[in-house]
Amino acid sequence: MSPRRRLAGRALAAALTLCLLSVGGAVIASAQVPVVSRAADGRLDAVSPVPGTILRYTLDGSEPTHDAGAWLAPVEVPPGYVLKVRAFKPGGSPVGDVAVIETPLPAGAVRMPSTLVPVTQNRDWRTYDWVDRHTAAAALMRERRPEIVMLGDSITHFFGGDPPDGRRTGVAEWDRLFAGRRVVNLGYGWDRTENVLWRLTHGEFEGVSPDVVVVMIGTNNVGLDTPDDIAAGVWAICRTIRERSPSTRLLLLAVFPRGERPNPSRDRVAEINQRIAAFDGRDGITYLDIAATFLGPDGTIAKDVMGDFLHPTAKGYAMWAAAMKPTLDRLLAPGRAAARD
């Protein structure tokens, strides 16, 4: 065979090996693109083109990185959102190209807030594995059938209890507060409202009926979403819990203050709290604002209360427990469910 024929043959082979994936109008050229398919219910599923890799995805149009959540179940892409999914090696290196699918927003329609769109995450991978924690938490909820659930982000995660992984700052106070009770910690570092919604609808609240769920979430949405949208996410979390367990009472905590001194982030937190305070008395919700507990007379947060001016120290967790305990005890009192609801 002549050199020219060999070169032509190789070019043809390369062209045949290279595949063109067209999803939602986007065309991506690659031999290693996740295969995306749509189920009858409209949700999407994806298969990695490379054995042994993990699919990670985003819904905001950004490129998937090791910080993006793992693809664990079929994904719903609401109108106006762009799904991007890519394969990654277990160590975090990307493999191949990105599959893209866009769901157009009809003319005149308003896009659903991202705070309401369930999605996984992996932002705190240096500290703990989100997927491993979810798997352990879902199993523990089924096994322990807790009386009390603490639900939130890293501020709750670091308190203590089970499942134990990552940082645990307030263990001694946790053990004192919940002595003799069946309790599960569903706090996850870096979670936002949308991540909590995913967890609640993917195994962490199946067939369980806690007496009380303590909810404190939203600080990781500050700066990304409007106070109205964050409050909508908090309400959706409360409604999801009540739909799955109508007898459960909800102790909804105000989002804790952040920053050593008064600052714009605190102002946004105050706006969120103003909105979620309106949920008090609705659908089994008791709202409790203990923010002032952590503040000095001049509005500052002491370093021995919150070491980074966001996450409580052991002393800060003791202050949280003391401020919350009277309301929690009242909600746990026999007959409280019937009286409240």
Side-chain angles (χ1 to χ4, degrees), residues 27-153:
V27 179
I28 305 169
S30 175
Q32 296 180 327
V33 180
V35 178
V36 181
S37 59
R38 188 181 295 277
D41 64 4
R43 293 186 299 170
L44 300 177
D45 212 343
V47 178
S48 176
V50 182
T53 58
I54 301 166
L55 291 181
R56 298 195 177 279
Y57 72 104
T58 60
L59 291 173
D60 60 3
S62 63
E63 296 301 308
T65 67
H66 191 43
D67 289 355
W71 191 293
L72 303 178
V75 172
E76 183 176 355
V77 185
Y81 281 84
V82 178
L83 167 73
K84 291 189 176 182
V85 55
R86 189 176 193 180
F88 284 79
K89 294 179 181 178
S93 300
V95 178
D97 286 319
V98 181
V100 182
I101 184 166
E102 181 174 1
T103 305
L105 186 68
V110 177
R111 197 180 83 152
M112 178 185 295
S114 62
T115 55
L116 299 175
V117 182
V119 64
T120 63
Q121 63 102 349
N122 194 44
R123 289 179 286 273
D124 211 15
W125 58 266
R126 295 168 186 83
T127 303
Y128 78 103
D129 186 281
W130 196 93
V131 173
D132 286 350
R133 183 166 178 79
H134 167 64
T135 301
L140 186 61
M141 287 289 285
R142 293 191 298 271
E143 173 190 336
R144 185 167 294 181
R145 297 188 174 278
E147 301 165 76
I148 304 168
V149 172
M150 297 289 288
L151 179 66
D153 48 45

Side-chain angles (χ1 to χ4, degrees), residues 16 48 75 87 95 110 123 132 180 210 219 245 257 267 273 278 301 319 333 338:
L16 291 173
S48 176
V75 172
V95 178
V110 177
R123 289 179 286 273
D132 286 350
T219 197
S245 178
D267 294 339
N273 289 337
I301 298 175
M319 295 165 70

Side-chain angles (χ1 to χ4, degrees), residues 169-192:
T169 307
V171 175
E173 192 56 44
W174 176 285
D175 292 344
R176 278 192 291 271
L177 177 64
F178 298 122
R181 297 280 191 181
R182 300 189 312 278
V183 189
V184 172
N185 186 331
L186 293 185
Y188 285 52
W190 267 113
D191 255 17
R192 300 171 185 155

Side-chain angles (χ1 to χ4, degrees), residues 114-115 191-194 217-226 230:
S114 62
T115 55
D191 255 17
R192 300 171 185 155
T193 60
E194 54 265 38
I217 191 70
T219 197
N220 292 319
N221 293 90
V222 173
L224 299 172
D225 304 290
T226 68
I230 297 171

Side-chain angles (χ1 to χ4, degrees), residues 14-29:
L16 291 173
T17 301
L18 190 70
C19 69
L20 293 177
L21 176 69
S22 176
V23 191
V27 179
I28 305 169

